[in-house]
Amino acid sequence: QVQLTESGGGSVQAGGSLRLSCAASGYISPTICMAWFRQRPGKERELLARIYPQLGTTFYLNSVKDRFTISRDNTENTLFLQMNNLIPEDTAMYYCALQRNGGSCSTREIDFGTWGQGTQVAVSS
């Protein structure tokens, strides 16, 4: 089974940027949806962004839509999340995830069966 490993988290000041990476241990078909989730302190995990690599179609949570960009390097089987203009409310553990089945992308966490261990992002004011 493919394993996912996130990196790129850290501590930044408000207004700063970070680029998260999610490396897959093996090949992932471009017909499989990939996503970034986050879990803020005391909150449930939420879907931030997802991408259907074959078509390049994306979806974003409204609160990050104009600040975050999801992308995938298909040759390297790596998923990215470029995060700009970070705010303290972005402080969270960030996870990448792989949908269980191919086809259209889901918004439901339960439909994502492979997860990374997470990378911590802390934004100070």
Side-chain angles (χ1 to χ4, degrees):
Q1 184 176 351
V2 169
Q3 294 182 329
L4 303 176
T5 304
E6 302 97 334
S7 62
S11 298
V12 296
Q13 289 190 327
S17 298
L18 284 173
R19 189 189 196 208
L20 305 185
S21 299
C22 172
S25 62
Y27 173 76
I28 298 174
S29 168
T31 63
I32 301 293
C33 192
M34 300 187 74
W36 287 97
F37 289 76
R38 72 180 177 190
Q39 187 164 21
R40 294 183 287 175
K43 304 285 187 181
E44 292 186 352
R45 192 155 55 182
E46 60 184 349
L47 173 64
L48 280 181
R50 65 166 194 246
I51 185 168
Y52 186 67
Q54 187 176 47
L55 300 178
T57 52
T58 57
F59 163 86
Y60 295 94
L61 183 69
N62 279 340
S63 62
V64 306
K65 189 174 183 178
D66 298 323
R67 301 184 295 119
F68 292 7
T69 303
I70 188 172
S71 62
R72 179 187 161 176
D73 182 335
N74 290 334
T75 61
E76 297 292 331
N77 287 308
T78 303
L79 184 70
F80 301 100
L81 185 68
Q82 178 66 44
M83 305 189 296
N84 298 327
N85 195 21
L86 285 160
I87 59 178
E89 290 75 17
D90 294 321
T91 295
M93 184 71 80
Y94 285 71
Y95 301 89
C96 64
L98 184 65
Q99 192 163 304
R100 296 178 193 274
N101 300 307
S104 60
C105 283
S106 172
T107 57
R108 303 189 311 165
E109 184 177 331
I110 194 172
D111 291 326
F112 290 82
T114 303
W115 295 80
Q117 82 289 348
T119 186
Q120 181 69 45
V121 171
V123 184
S124 58
S125 57

